[in-house]
Amino acid sequence: MSNLNSESFAQQQINEKTNAKVSSNPSNVQTIYEVHSTLNNNSANHDKDFSNDKSTTKPSEKIFRTSDQDQYENQYENTRDLKSQHDIPSDSENEYELISDFWSDISITKQDNSKDKFEAESQKCIHNAITCHKYYSYDPKILIEYGNDLSKYIPGFYRLLDLCKDEGLQGLDKIIIYEESLKNLCNDIDPLCFKSISEISYAKLNLVSFYLIGCYGNHTLIAKLLLKKNIINEQLYNLLITSHSSIFMDYINKPSLRPGIYLLILNSDLGLIIHWPEVGCYEENGSSQRKKNMVNLHRYLTKLTDYQICFMSDKDLESFDWNFDNSDTSSNEDDENCYNFKVTKSQEGRDDFKIYPGFKVNLSCINEINNRVQYDIPLYPIVIESTTNQSFVTRKLLKEISKLELITNVTADTFPGYLKNKLQDHCIHFNRNTMNMRALEIFVKYGLEMDDELLSSYHGALADAKLQNDMKKNREKNEMNDDIKIIKVMALQKLKESYSYFEQSIEQKDPTEIHLLQKDISNNDLKRIQKKYPKIEYKIVERIQINTYRWKNMKKRYYLTYKIIKDMLKDVNDNDEITESAIETFDNMFKDEEMDPHKLIDKYIQQNSLLSNLFKNFQNKYINEIAQKSIQMTRYNDINFIQELLEIQLFEGYSDANENIIAAFFEEYKIWRESTYSENINGILPQFVFDTELNNKIDQDYKKEKHKIEEDEFARICNEIEKKYEDRPMRLTIINVTEDYLSHSFQIYTEVEIVRPNQLQITIHETSLEQPDSFHIYDDEFYISIPILHSHNSTTFPLDPTTYEFRKISQFDRKFLLILWNKERSRIEIFFNTAYRLAQCFKTSNLIKPFKVLNTSEKVLVAINEPKELIALYDSEKVLLYVFSLNDNRSTLYGHYTNIHLLQWYNNKVPFVKYFLFFKGTEELCFVEDSGRARIFNLINLQFKPAVCNFPPNTVNVLSSPDGSCIVAFVKNKIEVNKPIEKSEETDSIISTDSHNEQNDDDNINETCRAHVCFYTRFDSISKVIDLPANIQSLEFLQFTCINKMQTHLMSFDLKNGCFNSVIVKIILEKNQYRFQEHMQKKSHGHVGHVKFIDSTNIEPKTKLNNLIDVYKLMFEKYPIDSCIDPEQNHSLSLKIALDTDDDEIEKYGEKFEGYISEMFEDLKRSTKKPATILKEFSTSVITFQKLNIENVKFQEKYPSKYKLGEWIIQLCCLIPIQIAVVRNGLFQPLRDELFLNEYDQIEFNEGYGHHVDRIAKNISFGWYEGIFKHFGDKKVKVVSNMGERSCGKSYMLNHLVGTTFDGSTMCCTEGVWMSLVNTNEYIYVALDFEGLKSLERTSQEDLLLVLFNTLTSNLILFKNQFTINRDMSIMFQRFQDGATLFDSDSKLFQAELCIIIKDVPRAIREEIVRLRFNQFITEEEEVNFITKMFKGGLNIIPWPMFNEDSWYKMLATIKKILDKQEAKYENARTFLQASKIIMAKLKICDLSSLDENLIHNCVTILKRLLPTAISHGLEQKDFIIEHLMNHDTGKQIEDPIVKISDILLQDSESSEIFTDSSDCPLNMPGGYPTQLYLEQEKDYWIQVGERSIMADSNISLCNEYEYFAQLSGDLRCYFEEHIQLRKKSSDDSKWFTKLNKFFKYIINRRISRVQDWYAQNTAKFPQDNSDIINGKYAMKHEITKLKLLWTLCGLTCSKCDLKCVKNRNHSEDHDCLTQNLIFESKFLAKIGNFLAKMKNQFHNKWKTDFVQVKLF
C-alpha cells in the first residue's frame, strides 16, 4: 500500500476530531493532544529513503503490520493507555471512534483521488485479511503453546505449495497445492470466494491486486526479516531458526515450518512469496532429492514473481566459491585437469542359498494341534502363506453334539410331562448367571413337583430369619421407650432448673410428671443417651424456650415501656408525684395492645399532662431505635430474660409495680407450661415408627440374611437336582423360567444339546514382534527375533466339513484370503477379509457371502502371489489356466487372464501337475509335474520358457522365495546309516548328517530332509542342495516369509516338541562388484575440487553454498528459459542479494556477484544451447540486510508489475500438474480430483450405456483446473499431448514446447495421464503427459486405451520414439487400429495431427529415416494403415536432432508452427470439459459408440435436470448460487429484455381506452365527477405508469409444489397493484381483473419463451430429429402445459363480496377475491355514482363553486 504523504490532510482530520471531542468533554484535552502528537510523529517517518534508514525497528508489544492503517491503529492502543492514566470517564471513551473515523476519512479521500476505483476496496480486503488473524494483536509477553505447524501463528501467512512425503511414491517427495491455506487466503479476501479447489471465484479475487517479491535463501535471515517487520515475536523467531536444524527435525512433534512456498501479506500493496527451504538443500553435497525439490520450488518462485531477494549470511559468503566451475570452458589448462580412471572387478559373486538358526515359538498353550486325519478330514496345522506375516492355522474336529436355544410354553399340567420327556436322555444343568430363586421354585414346584423335598428347608430358613428380624425390631422399640422416659426426665429437670422461680409457684398435679420427678437417671443411662442422641441436650434447651406469640409481645412491650420510662425519669429528681404517675403510666403502657411506639407515646402524652413535657423530649429517631431494639428483644433467651426480670428494680420503694409485671409474665408462663411445653418436648422424642434410619438398617440386615439364605439354598437345590439327573449323554441347560399369572402358564428358556454332523473348528493364530526386535534386525541381519503369540490374536470359527473342503489360505497385510471348495454347489468360493470378519461370516450360517465365486472343476490347483496381488487357478482336468487380480483398494477380484489353454504345450496330453506356484513378485508361474519336471510360464507373452528344471520325483513341497529369485523343492530321502554320503559341488550340508537324520524303524535306514534350490537366472539346473536341520523336518508345513522386509525365514512346525519354528535363509544372487579406480591424478595446490588443504597431513571438507545462486542455472537447465508457445510470457527477472555484512563491502560483492552470474549464464547458454532472451535482461543488485526496507516507496517503484490475485492464483495452480486417469488391470480409470471412482468399478448395465456414461462423466473432476476452465469459459482450447516409449524425454520436450512443469511436483515418474494448462491471450493450451508405452507393467489392451484417449482428445500428438524403429512398434500401432475401427462412423473423433519424433537422429541419415523406413511400413499395411484410419491420411515425421546439437531447441519452433496452423478442436473451455469427460467415461466402460450420441444424451440429461428450476424461477440454479439461464456453448446468458408496462397492456384494439376510462380514476375526483382538467391529469398519470419497466423474468417464482396458488401469486398481485393499478381505486372490477389477467399471461409467456430459447440454443448444434432432443422437447412441453394451467385465473364471483375470484381455475376451496374485503362492493359504488349524477342535474349552474367535494374513502 502506498504510504500517506499528505501530512496536512492527516493534521486537518485530527484537528477536526480533536476539536469535536474537546468541545464535548474538556477532560479529554490532554489525552487527545497526546494522541495527536503521536500521530504526527509517526506520519513524519514515511518519506525516509530505505537506503539511508539505518535504524532497526524495535519489536512492539503486539504483532502489528507496518502499514499506514496499522500505524493509526497502533495509536488506538496508545490512546487506550492514556485514557487509563488520565481516568477519562467511561461515558466519554471515544478514542476508538476518533481513530476509526480518521482512518475511514483517509481511505475515502484516497479512493476519491485514485485513478483505479478498486484500489481502496483492494486495500480494505487485504487489510481485513491480516487484522482478522487470531494472533494479529497478540501480546508477545504471553507465551504461546505452539502447535506443530508454525505457519498458523503468523498473521497474513499462507502456505501455497507444500513439500511432503508420498508413501505411494516409495516415500519420495511431492509438491502439492495446500488446499486448506489457499481456501483461507481466498475467503479472508472475500468470504465464500473459495467453495472447493474446483470452485473458486477468480473474478472476485481479481478486484485485489498487489506487488509481489520472491524471497529465498538463508532461513535465519528470512525469519529475522519477519521479526524486524514486527510480523513475528521473539518466541516464534527462535522456534523458526531452531526448527530448521536436522537434529530438531527428527522430533516430528515439535513446532516447525514445513518446506514449501508461502505468501506473506505485508500490507495492502505488498506481499512476499517465501521459499522456505529444506535443511541443506543449498549445500553442494546435499541429497539429489533435496536438490530436485530446491530446483522445482525455485521454478515456481520465478513463475510467481519477477523480482526475487536472495538472503545470504556472512557464513554463506565464506562458503561461496567465486571460481565458477566451467567444465566446458577451453583453456590451456584443460589437459592438465584431465583425470584418468579404470574400472576393475573387485569381487566375483555367485548365487548362494544358506540357512542359519531361526526363531522358536512354544505352542504348549494350544491343545488342538495334531497331525491326524479323522473321518477323512485333515486336522494337521497349516502355516499361512505370506511374504510379510507369520501366522498359522490349527484345526479341530468338534463333537457331534451342538447346542440349540429354545423357548417353550407349558401349563401347570403339561410342565411335569415336558420335563419327564426331556430328562430321558438329557442331564439337567442350571445356568447360575441367568436363573434366580423364584425361577428355581417354579421349576421345582410345578415341573419336578418336589417342593416338599427340596424347598422345605429353604422356606424354614426364611421363616427363622423373619422371626429374628421381628424380635430385633421389638427390642429396639422397647429400648426406645426407655430412652423416651429418660429424655422426658432430663427435659423436666432442665425446666425446673431454668425457671425455678416460676416452677416453685406451680403446684404439680400431673401424675406423669410426678412419677418422672421421682425417677433418678444413672450416669450410665445419661452417657448412653448422650452418645445415642448427641444433640439431645441442645434440643431440650431449645424446646423449653417460651415461644408463644403472646409471650414474645409481652417481652417486646416490656422492653419498650421499660426503656421509655427509664430514660424519661433519669433526669428527674426525686419527685414522688412524677414517680407515681410514671408507675401508673408504665403499667398502662405495658398492658396496652398498641404496637406502634409513636402512637403509644402520643396516646399517653394526651392522658398524662404531668408527663407530657417529658414525653415531648423524645425525638422520632430515638423512638425508632427503641422500637427496633424491642423487636430484637423477642429473640432474647427466655431463661436469661426471666432471671434479669427478677433482678431489675425500676421503681425503688415501689415493689408492687415490679411484682405486677412479674405476675403478668408468670400468668403467661403457666399458660405455656400447661398447653405447649409437653408438645415441644414430644417433638424431640425418638419414635420407632418415624426412625427411618434405624428401620432401614434392620431391614437391610434382614435382606442380607435372606439373600445369603437364597444363595446357599439355590446352590444346594441346583446341586441336588443336577446330581440326581447327571447320568445322561446330553445336557439340558435351564436358562430361566417365568410365570404368566393371568393364564397360569410358564415359559421355559433352555439350551438343548442335539446331535449334529461333525463341525471343523478353524483357529487363525496371528503373531507380532516387539518393537526392540524390529530395530535389532536393522543392526544385525542374523538377529533372531521371536514372534509373540497372544491368545487375543487368535480367531476361531466353525466350518462344516460336509459342505466345505479346505484348499488354501494366504495373508495380505491384515486380511486373509481363504479358498474353499463347496461340495454341495461344486464351485470354488473365495473369502477375503480380516480374521474377525471371517469368523463373523461363518458363525452365522445365513450370512456366508463369498468374496468371489468361481465355477471350476474340483481338481483345481491354486497359486497366490501376494506381492503382485494375483491369484492363479489351474484346472488339471481341462488343462486351463485362470489368473485373477485384486483391484487397487482390494475391493474386487477380476479376471486378469482367463481361459488360457495349456494342452498344446504338453503335446496335447493331459499332464499330471503336482505343484503349481508363482515366482513371487513376478508374473511367471512354475508348473511342477509328478515326474519332477518344472517349467516356467510367462503371463506377459502367454508362453512357456524353453528352460526346464528337473526336481526329484519324491518332492514333498515346492516353494518360491519371497523375492522370487529361486524355487526350492523339499525332498525326504532314505539313506543307509553305514553308507558314506557322497558330496558333489552342488551339495553343501551346513549341519552334520548325524545331527539331523531321523531314525527309521529299520535300524539301518535314516531319513534326511533336503532342499533343492533352483535359481531363476539358471533355471535349467539345480544350483544347490542343502540338508535341513532337525527342527525343520515337517516338509509339508513349510512356508517362506520375511520379517520387517529384512530377514527371510523358512517356517514350519515341530510337532514332537510342540513348537512353531524357523531357520533364517540368506539368498545371495550372482553379481560381480566393481570399483572406480583412479589411474593417474594431477597434483595441485590450494583448492582441489571440494576439498581445502589445511596442511600436509590433514584435509578439511568444505561445503560450498553456490547453489544459492546456481539454482537459477539448475532451474533453466531443467525447464525452458524462453517461452516457445507464447513469447508474451517472457518476463525478465531481477535478483537482489541481501547480505548480512558490513556496508563497506557491498560494492565489492556487487561486482563479484554480477561477474559470477554473468559467467554462469554464459556457461548455461553454451552447455544447453537453449534460447535465452530473458537472460539478457536479468538484473542483479546487492544490498545489506540492515538497509533492506521492502516497504519503502522508492523500493516499490522498482517492482515491474502488479498482480491481480485471481489471475495470480490461476498461475499458481497451473504450475502443478494433476493426474486425471490411469490404466490398471486392463481398464481405463478416470480420476476425480486424483482419486479413484471406486463406486463405478463394477457397473451393472441395466439402465443402458448412456445413463452410466453421463453418471461417470458427472463424477470426473480435474481438481483445481475445473475452476480455471470455468473462469476462461469462452476461450478456445488446443490440446497438446505426448506419447512414446518410456524414458525417451517426452515430458522434457512437452515442458519446453508448452512451458509446463511436468516431472516437477507430484510426479516421480509418469503414470497414466497428467494434465497441465498454459493460458495465453488467445488460447488455453492443455498439455497431456502420457505414460510411456511398451512397459512390462502394461498389457497391450492398456496401451490401446491410452492411445485411444490421446487420439480422441488431442489437437497435436508428439509421438516420440527411439532412433531405431522396430517391428514391435508397428505391431503396436496395428493393434491400436483394431480398436480405432470401432469409431469409424464418427467423423468428429479423429482430428488430431500426429508428429512422429524420432529421437537422436544424426543429420547424415535423417532423409533415409523419413523416406525408407515409413514408406516401407505404409506399403506393407496398404489401406488399413493406422495413419489413414486414425489421422486422416496425414502425419508429420520429424527426425529430431541429437540432444547436444544447436538445432534441438530450434526444432520446437517447427512444432509450434504446426500447432498454430491447426484450428482449435474445442470452441471454448466448457466444450472441452464436457467432451473430454464423456470420452473418459466411454473408455472406462468400453463404450465405443458415437461420441455425438453421448454428447447429445448428456446435454439433454442436464437440460432435463435443470428444466423444473428453469420453468419455476427462470434460472438454472437458485439455492446457494444464482445461475442464470445460459448458452452452455458460448457462456452467454439467455436474453431477459427490459419491457415497459404499456407494452404489456396496450397490445389490442382496446389500447386507447384502457387508461382513459374515468371509472378507473386513481386520483381524487373534484366534486365527485371528472372534469376536463382531471381527465388530463389522469391521462398523464397512466402515461407515466406505462413508461415504467417491468421486473426481470429471472428469479420470479412461478411454480412451487409446496405453496398454494394464492401464496404463489401474492408477490405478482402486489407488484401489479403497487406499480400499475390498485384494485380499490377501480370502480369496475371486471376491467381490473382483465388487466391483471393480461399481466399474468405476459409473465407466463415471457418465461415460456425464455425457457424455449434456452433449450433451443443449447441443442442447436445437434440434429433436431435425434430421439433424445425430441424427448427433451416433450418434457419441456409437459412442464409448460402445467405452468399455463396453474396460472389460468378463475374469474367467478367471490363468496364474500361481488369482486372476481383471483385463484386459479382448478381450485377446490371457496371463491376468494384475496382482497380481505377492504374495498367497497361494486353495487355500493354504483349507488354513489347515481347519487352524484342527480346532484349534477340539480346544481348544474353552480356546482363548480358551491358543491362540497365528496370523498368516497
Side-chain angles (χ1 to χ4, degrees), residues 1247-1255 1474 1478 1491-1504 1662 1666-1669 1671:
E1247 303 178 10
Y1249 281 94
H1251 171 78
H1252 291 288
V1253 168
D1254 298 337
R1255 188 173 67 169
Q1474 184 184 30
I1478 290 292
L1491 178 63
D1492 263 352
E1493 289 295 327
N1494 290 108
L1495 291 174
I1496 294 172
H1497 185 84
N1498 183 65
C1499 176
V1500 173
T1501 301
I1502 293 174
L1503 295 178
K1504 288 169 70 175
F1662 302 122
N1666 181 274
S1667 59
D1668 286 322
I1669 301 290
N1671 289 336

Side-chain angles (χ1 to χ4, degrees), residues 1514-1531:
L1515 303 169
E1516 290 186 1
Q1517 182 175 333
K1518 178 175 174 58
D1519 298 333
F1520 304 112
I1521 301 177
I1522 298 296
E1523 295 286 353
H1524 294 275
L1525 297 181
M1526 307 248 330
N1527 184 325
H1528 294 167
D1529 294 325
T1530 64

